[in-house]
Amino acid sequence: MKKGKDQTYSRIIGKYTSNKKGPLLFVTGGVHGNEPSGVIALQKVFEELDKTRPEINGTIVGVVGNKKALNVDQRYIDEDLNRTWTIENVESDKKDTQEKNEMFEIIDVLEDFPEEEFTKRYFLDCHTTSAATVPFISVQEVNDNDPWAHKFPTYIIRGFSDIVSGCIDHYMSRTGLTGFVFEAGQHTDPRSVENHEGLIWLALKEACGLDLEKISCFPECIDKFVEKNAPDQKTFEIIHRHGLENNDEFKMEPGFENFQKIEKGQLLAHQNGKEVRSEWDAHIFMPLYQSQGNDGFFVVEQVKV
Ligand SMILES: [Zn+2]
């Protein structure tokens, strides 16, 4: 079960049911192959479920995202699997890249759990980030995704998922599932696994009526996420994207972290030799510290729910 160089991941990490009618909880990890955290968390969850056999309504299934990329510890092989899920690609049925093959295999798995067999279908897509971050949920405001996301005790960001297209959560949402993306922390930080595991257990409680006290890792496997690693729930919306042109020279001031407060006039970055200062009393999100990318940073504002 441990992640090791010699491990080959199979598509389905686990499936668990008490053969009672109820919802489907469809959890994906490793859609980016360099983000094994969600997969490791799912392995732990299924180990525990198989050991203690608690009663749940419906079914949980854990699915590997980019199998081939995960096996070689790379973000992707030919193209980003979190950009392939456009209507056009799905309808074209073309399997001309490794990631399109992975995508159609995941769709096949989902189709084995059709809508009519469940009272409702939920998805949870587990990710991590290159920079250190507090955990956060990224929710697309369609269906009842947003009220569902607010059942979980962590930061929630609206509107981020809409900036890019072809994400797996877009596909899940337009297929009628309710859910969100969960960014659990930095790729290799062991707390990311704790956070993914904690959130999966909470999703099992909220969706499938799991009595958490029935599992042997309780309360540690929840507390590590809720009490140790995650901030209190707050909701943010994007109010500004600082986009970059390909030739721009851009350097963020050091030390900014996700959701850090910024003030009007504060120096944020240098761009083409000029200062970039904040026009907002707000919070910064996804500051660019890698050499590549077209988003310098985002400005987000806390909103009342
Ligand atoms: Zn990712």
Side-chain angles (χ1 to χ4, degrees), residues 32 35 75 127-128 183:
H32 290 129
E35 302 176 12
R75 189 171 174 86
H127 286 258
T128 49
E183 302 275 2

Side-chain angles (χ1 to χ4, degrees), residues 17-31:
T17 179
S18 312
N19 298 311
K20 284 176 69 185
K21 184 132 181 92
L24 173 72
L25 180 58
F26 192 87
V27 189
T28 43
V31 164

